Amino acid sequence: KLTMRAGNVPVAISSSDGPMRAMLTDLGVSVIVDEGVKSGSSLFEHFARNFDLVIVNTLVNTEVIRCLSGELCPVVWWIHEGIEALKSVEKRVPRKLGANIHAFSASEYSQRLILDKFGDAYRSEILRCAVEEEPQSKKTNDLTIENKSCTVFMLVGALENRKGQDILLRAID
Protein backbone atom coordinates (compact mmCIF):
# COMPACT_ATOMS: atom_id res chain seq x y z
CA LYS A 1 0.00 0.00 0.00
CA LEU A 2 2.74 2.41 0.95
CA THR A 3 4.67 1.66 -2.23
CA MET A 4 1.66 2.46 -4.40
CA ARG A 5 0.80 5.49 -2.28
CA ALA A 6 4.28 6.79 -3.07
CA GLY A 7 3.45 6.57 -6.79
CA ASN A 8 5.27 3.33 -7.55
CA VAL A 9 3.83 0.55 -9.70
CA PRO A 10 4.50 -2.88 -8.16
CA VAL A 11 4.07 -5.99 -10.30
CA ALA A 12 4.28 -9.41 -8.62
CA ILE A 13 5.58 -12.28 -10.75
CA SER A 14 5.55 -15.89 -9.59
CA SER A 15 6.19 -19.28 -11.15
CA SER A 16 3.06 -20.66 -9.47
CA ASP A 17 -0.34 -19.38 -8.46
CA GLY A 18 -1.42 -19.20 -4.85
CA PRO A 19 -3.74 -17.64 -2.29
CA MET A 20 -1.82 -14.38 -2.07
CA ARG A 21 -2.81 -13.51 -5.64
CA ALA A 22 -6.31 -12.43 -4.60
CA MET A 23 -4.96 -10.25 -1.81
CA LEU A 24 -2.52 -8.51 -4.15
CA THR A 25 -5.04 -7.97 -6.93
CA ASP A 26 -7.52 -6.58 -4.38
CA LEU A 27 -4.84 -4.01 -3.52
CA GLY A 28 -4.44 -3.12 -7.19
CA VAL A 29 -1.14 -4.94 -7.74
CA SER A 30 -0.73 -6.61 -11.12
CA VAL A 31 0.07 -10.31 -10.73
CA ILE A 32 1.71 -12.43 -13.43
CA VAL A 33 2.03 -16.20 -13.10
CA ASP A 34 4.62 -17.71 -15.47
CA GLU A 35 6.50 -21.00 -15.00
CA GLY A 36 9.41 -19.56 -17.01
CA VAL A 37 10.36 -17.43 -14.02
CA LYS A 38 11.70 -20.52 -12.24
CA SER A 39 14.17 -21.29 -15.02
CA GLY A 40 15.21 -17.69 -15.70
CA SER A 41 14.11 -18.06 -19.32
CA SER A 42 15.24 -15.59 -21.98
CA LEU A 43 11.62 -14.39 -22.26
CA PHE A 44 11.67 -13.58 -18.55
CA GLU A 45 15.03 -11.79 -18.90
CA HIS A 46 13.69 -9.58 -21.70
CA PHE A 47 10.55 -8.86 -19.69
CA ALA A 48 12.61 -7.94 -16.60
CA ARG A 49 14.32 -5.17 -18.58
CA ASN A 50 11.08 -3.15 -18.25
CA PHE A 51 11.51 -2.68 -14.50
CA ASP A 52 13.45 -0.14 -12.47
CA LEU A 53 13.97 -2.50 -9.54
CA VAL A 54 13.53 -6.25 -9.15
CA ILE A 55 12.97 -7.88 -5.77
CA VAL A 56 13.72 -11.60 -5.58
CA ASN A 57 12.28 -12.75 -2.29
CA THR A 58 13.70 -16.23 -1.91
CA LEU A 59 16.99 -18.11 -2.03
CA VAL A 60 15.24 -20.75 -4.14
CA ASN A 61 15.10 -18.48 -7.22
CA THR A 62 18.78 -18.97 -8.05
CA GLU A 63 18.13 -19.09 -11.81
CA VAL A 64 16.43 -15.70 -11.64
CA ILE A 65 19.53 -14.28 -9.94
CA ARG A 66 21.80 -15.91 -12.52
CA CYS A 67 19.64 -14.50 -15.34
CA LEU A 68 19.53 -10.94 -13.96
CA SER A 69 23.10 -10.76 -12.66
CA GLY A 70 25.42 -8.23 -14.18
CA GLU A 71 23.70 -5.96 -16.64
CA LEU A 72 20.13 -5.19 -15.72
CA CYS A 73 18.47 -2.93 -13.18
CA PRO A 74 19.22 -3.19 -9.47
CA VAL A 75 18.08 -6.47 -7.92
CA VAL A 76 17.29 -6.82 -4.23
CA TRP A 77 17.72 -10.47 -3.23
CA TRP A 78 15.96 -10.97 0.08
CA ILE A 79 17.26 -14.20 1.61
CA HIS A 80 15.25 -15.36 4.58
CA GLU A 81 15.48 -19.15 4.44
CA GLY A 82 17.26 -21.52 6.76
CA ILE A 83 19.58 -24.48 6.38
CA GLU A 84 17.05 -26.87 4.82
CA ALA A 85 16.21 -24.53 1.95
CA LEU A 86 19.91 -23.87 1.45
CA LYS A 87 20.64 -27.59 1.21
CA SER A 88 18.01 -27.97 -1.52
CA VAL A 89 19.57 -25.28 -3.76
CA GLU A 90 23.20 -24.97 -2.73
CA LYS A 91 24.59 -26.57 -5.92
CA ARG A 92 22.61 -24.10 -8.06
CA VAL A 93 23.53 -20.92 -6.15
CA PRO A 94 25.76 -18.67 -8.31
CA ARG A 95 29.25 -18.30 -6.82
CA LYS A 96 29.61 -14.74 -8.16
CA LEU A 97 27.02 -11.98 -8.15
CA GLY A 98 26.84 -9.06 -10.54
CA ALA A 99 27.30 -5.58 -9.10
CA ASN A 100 23.55 -5.01 -9.59
CA ILE A 101 22.64 -7.83 -7.15
CA HIS A 102 22.18 -6.54 -3.59
CA ALA A 103 21.73 -9.33 -1.05
CA PHE A 104 19.74 -8.70 2.11
CA SER A 105 19.13 -11.17 4.91
CA ALA A 106 16.09 -11.38 7.14
CA SER A 107 18.13 -12.18 10.25
CA GLU A 108 21.62 -12.73 11.61
CA TYR A 109 20.96 -16.45 11.20
CA SER A 110 20.30 -16.32 7.45
CA GLN A 111 23.11 -13.78 7.02
CA ARG A 112 25.67 -16.03 8.74
CA LEU A 113 24.40 -19.12 6.89
CA ILE A 114 24.99 -17.72 3.41
CA LEU A 115 28.20 -15.92 4.32
CA ASP A 116 29.71 -19.09 5.80
CA LYS A 117 28.66 -21.16 2.79
CA PHE A 118 29.44 -18.78 -0.10
CA GLY A 119 31.89 -16.21 1.26
CA ASP A 120 32.26 -12.48 0.67
CA ALA A 121 30.21 -12.45 -2.56
CA TYR A 122 27.22 -12.99 -0.28
CA ARG A 123 27.98 -10.31 2.30
CA SER A 124 24.56 -8.85 3.06
CA GLU A 125 22.79 -6.25 5.10
CA ILE A 126 19.96 -7.25 7.41
CA LEU A 127 16.51 -6.12 6.35
CA ARG A 128 14.09 -7.12 9.06
CA CYS A 129 10.43 -7.94 8.42
CA ALA A 130 8.93 -5.30 10.67
CA VAL A 131 8.14 -1.81 9.44
CA GLU A 132 5.88 0.93 10.66
CA GLU A 133 2.69 1.55 8.70
CA GLU A 134 3.62 5.24 8.52
CA PRO A 135 7.41 5.64 8.80
CA GLN A 136 8.52 8.43 11.13
CA SER A 137 11.41 9.45 8.91
CA LYS A 138 12.41 8.71 5.35
CA LYS A 139 15.55 6.59 5.16
CA THR A 140 17.85 6.58 2.17
CA ASN A 141 19.32 3.52 0.51
CA ASP A 142 22.40 2.86 -1.59
CA LEU A 143 20.56 1.46 -4.62
CA THR A 144 20.90 3.69 -7.63
CA ILE A 145 17.71 4.00 -9.65
CA GLU A 146 17.22 6.49 -12.44
CA ASN A 147 15.26 9.52 -11.28
CA LYS A 148 11.81 8.94 -12.76
CA SER A 149 8.33 10.01 -11.79
CA CYS A 150 7.78 6.54 -10.36
CA THR A 151 9.71 3.35 -9.78
CA VAL A 152 8.40 0.09 -11.22
CA PHE A 153 8.95 -2.93 -8.98
CA MET A 154 8.98 -6.61 -9.89
CA LEU A 155 8.66 -9.14 -7.08
CA VAL A 156 9.86 -12.62 -8.04
CA GLY A 157 8.93 -15.68 -5.98
CA ALA A 158 5.97 -17.66 -4.72
CA LEU A 159 3.25 -15.39 -3.41
CA GLU A 160 2.47 -16.63 0.08
CA ASN A 161 1.25 -14.87 3.22
CA ARG A 162 3.89 -16.56 5.36
CA LYS A 163 6.67 -14.87 3.38
CA GLY A 164 5.55 -11.33 4.17
CA GLN A 165 6.14 -9.78 0.73
CA ASP A 166 3.79 -6.96 1.74
CA ILE A 167 6.02 -6.24 4.73
CA LEU A 168 9.14 -6.31 2.55
CA LEU A 169 7.65 -3.71 0.20
CA ARG A 170 6.81 -1.47 3.15
CA ALA A 171 10.39 -1.82 4.42
CA ILE A 172 11.83 -0.76 1.07
CA ASP A 173 9.45 2.16 0.86
Side-chain angles (χ1 to χ4, degrees), residues 4-135:
M4 290 188 301
R5 215 179 293 151
N8 299 311
V9 182
V11 176
I13 301 176
S14 179
S15 60
S16 59
D17 207 351
M20 199 164 175
R21 180 183 190 150
M23 184 188 90
L24 289 170
T25 54
D26 287 348
L27 290 172
V29 175
S30 297
V31 177
I32 299 170
V33 179
D34 177 8
E35 287 186 24
V37 171
K38 221 182 327 190
S39 64
S41 71
S42 61
L43 180 62
F44 169 75
E45 180 182 352
H46 290 292
F47 181 69
R49 292 178 190 273
N50 294 305
F51 294 89
D52 299 310
L53 176 69
V54 174
I55 302 167
V56 179
N57 73 328
T58 177
L59 180 64
V60 176
N61 282 329
T62 58
E63 292 308 313
V64 171
I65 294 299
R66 190 179 316 282
C67 170
L68 300 180
S69 187
E71 60 186 77
L72 296 172
C73 67
V75 176
V76 171
W77 193 8
W78 192 52
I79 302 171
H80 57 276
E81 293 87 356
I83 188 69
E84 293 307 315
L86 177 61
K87 286 179 188 176
S88 72
V89 298
E90 97 180 75
K91 290 181 180 167
R92 298 189 327 254
V93 172
R95 296 309 186 243
K96 289 184 176 182
L97 299 175
N100 65 318
I101 307 293
H102 306 276
F104 289 87
S105 300
S107 66
E108 287 84 0
Y109 167 75
S110 57
Q111 183 184 49
R112 175 60 40 212
L113 190 66
I114 60 169
L115 191 58
D116 287 351
K117 193 68 179 171
F118 303 111
D120 283 343
Y122 282 79
R123 190 162 300 282
S124 64
E125 293 181 51
I126 294 178
L127 179 61
R128 300 205 187 274
C129 297
V131 295
E132 300 168 21
E133 181 66 28
E134 296 294 333

